[in-house]
Amino acid sequence: MKKIIIANFKMNPLTKKKAQELFKAYDIKTKHTVVLCPPFPFLEKGKNYILGAQNCFCRTEGPYTGAVSSKMLKDVGCKYILIGHSERRHIFGETNRIVNHKIKLCIKNKVKPVLCVGENAGEKRDVVLKKQLKEGLKDAQTKGIIIAYEPVFAIGTGKVCEIKDIINSFNLIKKIVPDAKVLYGGSVNSLNAKEILKVTDGILVGGASINKKEFLKIIK
Ligand code: PEP
């Protein structure tokens, strides 16, 4: 079945040339919808993949030095934008309120937001997810929205979430946001991707997306 596979390159690779090598390798026909989210300076459209961005600012234009808006990203070809990634929340201090502004602006500017949610180790998953979804999606149109469940302890650690927990989170998110497509992210690789794709609408891949061999195995 056709799934959504999103690659989050994070702050990699270091040169445009290397980014272009990845674009070239991943620009292949596959049964899945493949979305590549490189760093801003390397955004480049392809024939077979969809372009996405890793973040945007919570205003559309104005005196916000260093900021990039969803409208600009739409103009250069981005169709999806990751919003509220745990690294944005924890390193850059993004709150659910900021996330909510960004979500609504993406929708207004006609780019699809991919809302990232997930609990830290030791936190109650249901409580955290309910709060992040309620506050992050307050007054937002949820039709066609994508939500990525990314437990923080699984991101970049190699500790993938257990399938039963992925299924429980998927069901909880669908119950709260029935219109959403729900993805899983957190240490996805070529060995676990197929099993996870069976129980979700897709996956968000970080580290493995900048490893050509790995990501090609995942999307093929
Ligand atoms: C991510 O950054 O969204 C992510 C899931 O990272 P990784 O696949 O490296 O755990």
Side-chain angles (χ1 to χ4, degrees):
M1 221 168 90
K2 188 173 179 163
K3 304 282 179 171
I4 303 166
I5 301 180
I6 304 182
N8 175 14
F9 288 6
K10 309 197 188 202
M11 203 168 72
N12 303 293
L14 283 183
T15 63
K16 185 167 183 140
K17 191 166 172 271
K18 287 199 171 122
Q20 285 173 330
E21 279 169 24
L22 296 178
F23 296 143
K24 199 168 162 221
Y26 302 160
D27 199 354
I28 54 165
K29 283 205 164 70
T30 138
K31 63 178 176 177
H32 301 299
T33 299
V34 175
V35 181
L36 303 184
C37 303
F40 289 144
F42 304 150
L43 288 166
E44 194 168 298
K45 284 197 257 181
K47 263 201 218 116
N48 296 294
Y49 64 83
I50 296 174
L51 194 60
Q54 297 173 21
N55 178 40
C56 64
F57 190 54
C58 52
R59 297 279 182 274
T60 293
E61 66 179 325
Y64 306 108
T65 304
V68 175
S69 91
S70 48
K71 196 158 184 156
M72 295 167 182
L73 293 168
K74 158 103 179 153
D75 187 63
V76 297
C78 291
K79 298 224 175 345
Y80 293 82
I81 304 181
L82 304 182
I83 303 290
H85 189 281
S86 69
E87 286 152 15
R88 300 288 324 168
R89 292 177 190 262
H90 296 124
I91 303 168
F92 299 93
E94 275 183 22
T95 59
N96 287 329
R97 193 163 158 264
I98 295 173
V99 165
N100 180 249
H101 277 294
K102 293 185 178 189
I103 295 272
K104 287 194 279 195
L105 271 185
C106 282
I107 295 166
K108 187 171 169 214
N109 291 326
K110 301 193 165 41
V111 197
K112 280 192 176 177
V114 178
L115 170 60
C116 303
V117 293
E119 78 282 13
N120 286 301
E123 283 183 333
K124 285 206 166 73
R125 183 182 55 215
D126 289 22
V127 175
V128 172
L129 293 189
K130 277 182 193 158
K131 185 172 163 63
Q132 288 179 336
L133 292 171
K134 186 170 168 250
E135 294 179 10
L137 294 174
K138 187 168 180 271
D139 301 326
Q141 169 62 258
T142 54
K143 194 167 175 283
I145 198 159
I146 297 177
I147 296 173
Y149 169 60
E150 299 207 297
V152 181
F153 57 84
I155 297 183
T157 58
K159 289 185 200 150
V160 71
C161 191
E162 282 186 36
I163 286 288
K164 69 168 175 31
D165 291 326
I166 296 178
I167 295 172
N168 286 341
S169 309
F170 179 92
N171 290 338
L172 176 73
I173 295 169
K174 287 269 191 191
K175 204 168 149 198
I176 300 172
V177 194
D179 292 336
K181 289 236 180 289
V182 183
L183 318 186
Y184 168 81
S187 296
V188 175
N189 58 36
S190 64
L191 299 176
N192 58 31
K194 283 209 169 46
E195 198 187 356
I196 297 169
L197 282 171
K198 275 187 205 152
V199 298
T200 59
D201 296 319
I203 46 180
L204 176 46
V205 187
S209 72
I210 51 162
N211 178 325
K212 238 187 265 174
K213 265 196 194 158
E214 271 289 289
F215 195 64
L216 282 172
K217 277 190 205 161
I218 293 172
I219 63 173
K220 271 180 181 168

Short mmCIF file of all heavy atoms in Angstrom, two decimals, residues 24-57:
data_model
loop_
_atom_site.label_atom_id
_atom_site.label_comp_id
_atom_site.label_asym_id
_atom_site.label_seq_id
_atom_site.Cartn_x
_atom_site.Cartn_y
_atom_site.Cartn_z
N LYS A 24 19.78 13.05 -6.07
CA LYS A 24 19.90 12.27 -7.30
C LYS A 24 19.61 10.78 -7.03
O LYS A 24 18.86 10.14 -7.76
CB LYS A 24 21.33 12.44 -7.86
CG LYS A 24 21.43 12.09 -9.30
CD LYS A 24 22.76 12.53 -9.90
CE LYS A 24 22.98 11.76 -11.19
NZ LYS A 24 24.34 11.31 -11.35
N ALA A 25 20.18 10.28 -5.96
CA ALA A 25 19.99 8.87 -5.63
C ALA A 25 18.53 8.57 -5.27
O ALA A 25 18.01 7.49 -5.61
CB ALA A 25 20.89 8.49 -4.45
N TYR A 26 17.86 9.52 -4.61
CA TYR A 26 16.49 9.26 -4.13
C TYR A 26 15.41 9.64 -5.15
O TYR A 26 14.23 9.42 -4.91
CB TYR A 26 16.22 10.03 -2.83
CG TYR A 26 17.17 9.71 -1.69
CD1 TYR A 26 17.32 10.59 -0.62
CD2 TYR A 26 17.91 8.53 -1.66
CE1 TYR A 26 18.18 10.31 0.44
CE2 TYR A 26 18.77 8.24 -0.62
CZ TYR A 26 18.90 9.14 0.43
OH TYR A 26 19.75 8.86 1.48
N ASP A 27 15.81 10.23 -6.27
CA ASP A 27 14.83 10.67 -7.26
C ASP A 27 14.45 9.48 -8.15
O ASP A 27 14.77 9.44 -9.34
CB ASP A 27 15.41 11.82 -8.09
CG ASP A 27 14.32 12.62 -8.78
OD1 ASP A 27 13.14 12.19 -8.70
OD2 ASP A 27 14.63 13.64 -9.39
N ILE A 28 13.80 8.51 -7.54
CA ILE A 28 13.43 7.28 -8.26
C ILE A 28 11.94 7.02 -8.12
O ILE A 28 11.31 7.49 -7.17
CB ILE A 28 14.19 6.05 -7.72
CG1 ILE A 28 13.98 5.93 -6.21
CG2 ILE A 28 15.67 6.10 -8.07
CD1 ILE A 28 14.36 4.59 -5.63
N LYS A 29 11.41 6.27 -9.06
CA LYS A 29 9.99 5.90 -8.97
C LYS A 29 9.83 4.83 -7.88
O LYS A 29 10.57 3.86 -7.86
CB LYS A 29 9.51 5.34 -10.30
CG LYS A 29 9.27 6.41 -11.33
CD LYS A 29 8.26 5.93 -12.38
CE LYS A 29 7.72 7.07 -13.18
NZ LYS A 29 8.70 7.68 -14.10
N THR A 30 8.90 5.04 -6.98
CA THR A 30 8.61 4.05 -5.94
C THR A 30 7.11 4.10 -5.69
O THR A 30 6.46 5.08 -6.05
CB THR A 30 9.39 4.33 -4.62
OG1 THR A 30 8.53 4.12 -3.51
CG2 THR A 30 9.94 5.72 -4.53
N LYS A 31 6.58 3.06 -5.05
CA LYS A 31 5.11 3.06 -4.82
C LYS A 31 4.72 4.02 -3.70
O LYS A 31 3.55 4.32 -3.51
CB LYS A 31 4.62 1.65 -4.53
CG LYS A 31 5.19 1.05 -3.28
CD LYS A 31 4.61 -0.34 -3.04
CE LYS A 31 5.29 -0.95 -1.83
NZ LYS A 31 4.82 -2.21 -1.41
N HIS A 32 5.70 4.50 -2.94
CA HIS A 32 5.39 5.38 -1.81
C HIS A 32 5.50 6.86 -2.19
O HIS A 32 6.11 7.21 -3.21
CB HIS A 32 6.34 5.09 -0.66
CG HIS A 32 6.29 3.68 -0.18
ND1 HIS A 32 5.14 3.12 0.34
CD2 HIS A 32 7.23 2.70 -0.15
CE1 HIS A 32 5.36 1.86 0.67
NE2 HIS A 32 6.64 1.58 0.37
N THR A 33 4.92 7.71 -1.34
CA THR A 33 5.13 9.15 -1.49
C THR A 33 6.37 9.51 -0.68
O THR A 33 6.39 9.33 0.54
CB THR A 33 3.90 9.92 -0.91
OG1 THR A 33 2.76 9.53 -1.65
CG2 THR A 33 4.10 11.42 -1.00
N VAL A 34 7.40 9.94 -1.36
CA VAL A 34 8.67 10.24 -0.66
C VAL A 34 8.85 11.76 -0.57
O VAL A 34 8.77 12.47 -1.57
CB VAL A 34 9.87 9.61 -1.40
CG1 VAL A 34 11.19 10.00 -0.75
CG2 VAL A 34 9.71 8.09 -1.43
N VAL A 35 9.04 12.24 0.65
CA VAL A 35 9.21 13.68 0.89
C VAL A 35 10.61 13.89 1.47
O VAL A 35 10.96 13.27 2.47
CB VAL A 35 8.15 14.19 1.91
CG1 VAL A 35 8.31 15.69 2.14
CG2 VAL A 35 6.74 13.84 1.47
N LEU A 36 11.39 14.75 0.82
CA LEU A 36 12.75 15.02 1.32
C LEU A 36 12.80 16.40 1.96
O LEU A 36 12.42 17.39 1.33
CB LEU A 36 13.77 14.95 0.18
CG LEU A 36 13.82 13.64 -0.62
CD1 LEU A 36 14.95 13.70 -1.67
CD2 LEU A 36 14.02 12.42 0.29
N CYS A 37 13.27 16.46 3.19
CA CYS A 37 13.38 17.73 3.92
C CYS A 37 14.85 18.03 4.21
O CYS A 37 15.37 17.67 5.28
CB CYS A 37 12.61 17.66 5.24
SG CYS A 37 10.87 17.24 5.07
N PRO A 38 15.53 18.69 3.27
CA PRO A 38 16.94 19.04 3.50
C PRO A 38 17.03 20.37 4.27
O PRO A 38 16.00 21.02 4.48
CB PRO A 38 17.46 19.23 2.07
CG PRO A 38 16.27 19.72 1.30
CD PRO A 38 15.05 19.10 1.95
N PRO A 39 18.23 20.79 4.65
CA PRO A 39 18.37 22.13 5.25
C PRO A 39 17.97 23.21 4.23
O PRO A 39 18.08 22.98 3.01
CB PRO A 39 19.88 22.21 5.55
CG PRO A 39 20.35 20.79 5.58
CD PRO A 39 19.49 20.05 4.60
N PHE A 40 17.55 24.37 4.70
CA PHE A 40 17.06 25.43 3.80
C PHE A 40 17.98 25.74 2.60
O PHE A 40 17.48 25.86 1.48
CB PHE A 40 16.85 26.75 4.57
CG PHE A 40 15.68 26.73 5.52
CD1 PHE A 40 15.75 27.40 6.73
CD2 PHE A 40 14.50 26.06 5.21
CE1 PHE A 40 14.67 27.41 7.61
CE2 PHE A 40 13.42 26.07 6.08
CZ PHE A 40 13.51 26.75 7.29
N PRO A 41 19.30 25.90 2.79
CA PRO A 41 20.12 26.32 1.64
C PRO A 41 20.16 25.30 0.50
O PRO A 41 20.55 25.64 -0.61
CB PRO A 41 21.54 26.51 2.22
CG PRO A 41 21.38 26.47 3.68
CD PRO A 41 20.13 25.73 3.99
N PHE A 42 19.77 24.07 0.80
CA PHE A 42 19.90 23.01 -0.21
C PHE A 42 18.57 22.59 -0.83
O PHE A 42 18.51 21.60 -1.56
CB PHE A 42 20.59 21.77 0.40
CG PHE A 42 21.93 22.04 1.03
CD1 PHE A 42 22.38 21.28 2.10
CD2 PHE A 42 22.75 23.06 0.56
CE1 PHE A 42 23.62 21.52 2.68
CE2 PHE A 42 23.98 23.32 1.15
CZ PHE A 42 24.42 22.55 2.21
N LEU A 43 17.48 23.33 -0.52
CA LEU A 43 16.16 22.95 -1.05
C LEU A 43 16.20 22.86 -2.57
O LEU A 43 16.61 23.83 -3.23
CB LEU A 43 15.11 23.99 -0.64
CG LEU A 43 14.70 24.00 0.84
CD1 LEU A 43 13.94 25.27 1.19
CD2 LEU A 43 13.88 22.77 1.18
N GLU A 44 15.82 21.73 -3.10
CA GLU A 44 15.89 21.53 -4.55
C GLU A 44 14.82 20.53 -4.99
O GLU A 44 14.75 19.42 -4.47
CB GLU A 44 17.28 20.99 -4.91
CG GLU A 44 17.58 21.05 -6.37
CD GLU A 44 19.08 20.78 -6.61
OE1 GLU A 44 19.94 21.55 -6.14
OE2 GLU A 44 19.36 19.75 -7.25
N LYS A 45 14.00 20.97 -5.94
CA LYS A 45 12.90 20.09 -6.39
C LYS A 45 13.43 18.91 -7.20
O LYS A 45 14.48 19.01 -7.84
CB LYS A 45 11.94 20.88 -7.26
CG LYS A 45 11.05 21.81 -6.45
CD LYS A 45 9.86 22.27 -7.26
CE LYS A 45 10.04 23.67 -7.75
NZ LYS A 45 8.96 24.21 -8.52
N GLY A 46 12.68 17.81 -7.20
CA GLY A 46 13.04 16.65 -8.02
C GLY A 46 11.82 16.17 -8.77
O GLY A 46 10.73 16.70 -8.58
N LYS A 47 12.01 15.17 -9.61
CA LYS A 47 10.89 14.67 -10.41
C LYS A 47 10.01 13.69 -9.62
O LYS A 47 8.80 13.72 -9.69
CB LYS A 47 11.45 13.88 -11.61
CG LYS A 47 11.53 14.72 -12.87
CD LYS A 47 11.59 13.77 -14.08
CE LYS A 47 12.53 14.34 -15.11
NZ LYS A 47 13.72 13.57 -15.38
N ASN A 48 10.66 12.81 -8.87
CA ASN A 48 9.93 11.72 -8.22
C ASN A 48 9.73 11.89 -6.73
O ASN A 48 9.03 11.11 -6.10
CB ASN A 48 10.64 10.39 -8.48
CG ASN A 48 10.64 10.05 -9.94
OD1 ASN A 48 9.60 9.81 -10.52
ND2 ASN A 48 11.82 10.08 -10.55
N TYR A 49 10.40 12.86 -6.13
CA TYR A 49 10.17 13.10 -4.70
C TYR A 49 9.51 14.46 -4.51
O TYR A 49 9.54 15.31 -5.40
CB TYR A 49 11.48 13.01 -3.90
CG TYR A 49 12.52 14.06 -4.24
CD1 TYR A 49 12.47 15.34 -3.68
CD2 TYR A 49 13.56 13.79 -5.12
CE1 TYR A 49 13.42 16.31 -3.98
CE2 TYR A 49 14.51 14.74 -5.43
CZ TYR A 49 14.44 15.99 -4.86
OH TYR A 49 15.38 16.95 -5.17
N ILE A 50 8.92 14.61 -3.34
CA ILE A 50 8.27 15.88 -2.99
C ILE A 50 9.20 16.62 -2.05
O ILE A 50 9.87 16.01 -1.19
CB ILE A 50 6.91 15.59 -2.32
CG1 ILE A 50 5.98 14.90 -3.34
CG2 ILE A 50 6.27 16.86 -1.78
CD1 ILE A 50 4.66 14.45 -2.76
N LEU A 51 9.25 17.94 -2.22
CA LEU A 51 10.15 18.72 -1.38
C LEU A 51 9.44 19.17 -0.10
O LEU A 51 8.27 19.56 -0.13
CB LEU A 51 10.62 19.95 -2.19
CG LEU A 51 11.80 20.72 -1.62
CD1 LEU A 51 13.04 19.86 -1.49
CD2 LEU A 51 12.10 21.95 -2.50
N GLY A 52 10.17 19.08 1.00
CA GLY A 52 9.64 19.55 2.28
C GLY A 52 10.69 20.35 3.01
O GLY A 52 11.85 20.39 2.60
N ALA A 53 10.27 21.02 4.10
CA ALA A 53 11.23 21.78 4.91
C ALA A 53 11.14 21.30 6.35
O ALA A 53 10.17 20.66 6.75
CB ALA A 53 10.91 23.27 4.83
N GLN A 54 12.19 21.61 7.11
CA GLN A 54 12.27 21.10 8.48
C GLN A 54 11.63 22.01 9.51
O GLN A 54 11.44 21.64 10.68
CB GLN A 54 13.73 20.89 8.86
CG GLN A 54 14.44 19.87 8.02
CD GLN A 54 15.93 19.83 8.31
OE1 GLN A 54 16.40 20.25 9.37
NE2 GLN A 54 16.69 19.31 7.37
N ASN A 55 11.32 23.25 9.09
CA ASN A 55 10.80 24.22 10.05
C ASN A 55 10.37 25.46 9.29
O ASN A 55 10.72 25.64 8.11
CB ASN A 55 11.92 24.59 11.04
CG ASN A 55 11.51 25.63 12.06
OD1 ASN A 55 10.39 25.60 12.57
ND2 ASN A 55 12.38 26.57 12.34
N CYS A 56 9.61 26.32 9.94
CA CYS A 56 9.34 27.66 9.41
C CYS A 56 9.09 28.57 10.60
O CYS A 56 8.96 28.09 11.73
CB CYS A 56 8.14 27.67 8.47
SG CYS A 56 6.59 27.25 9.30
N PHE A 57 9.02 29.87 10.35
CA PHE A 57 8.78 30.81 11.45
C PHE A 57 7.28 30.97 11.66
O PHE A 57 6.47 30.63 10.80
CB PHE A 57 9.46 32.15 11.13
CG PHE A 57 9.47 33.10 12.31
CD1 PHE A 57 9.99 32.70 13.54
CD2 PHE A 57 8.96 34.38 12.20
CE1 PHE A 57 9.99 33.56 14.62
CE2 PHE A 57 8.95 35.25 13.27
CZ PHE A 57 9.47 34.85 14.50
#
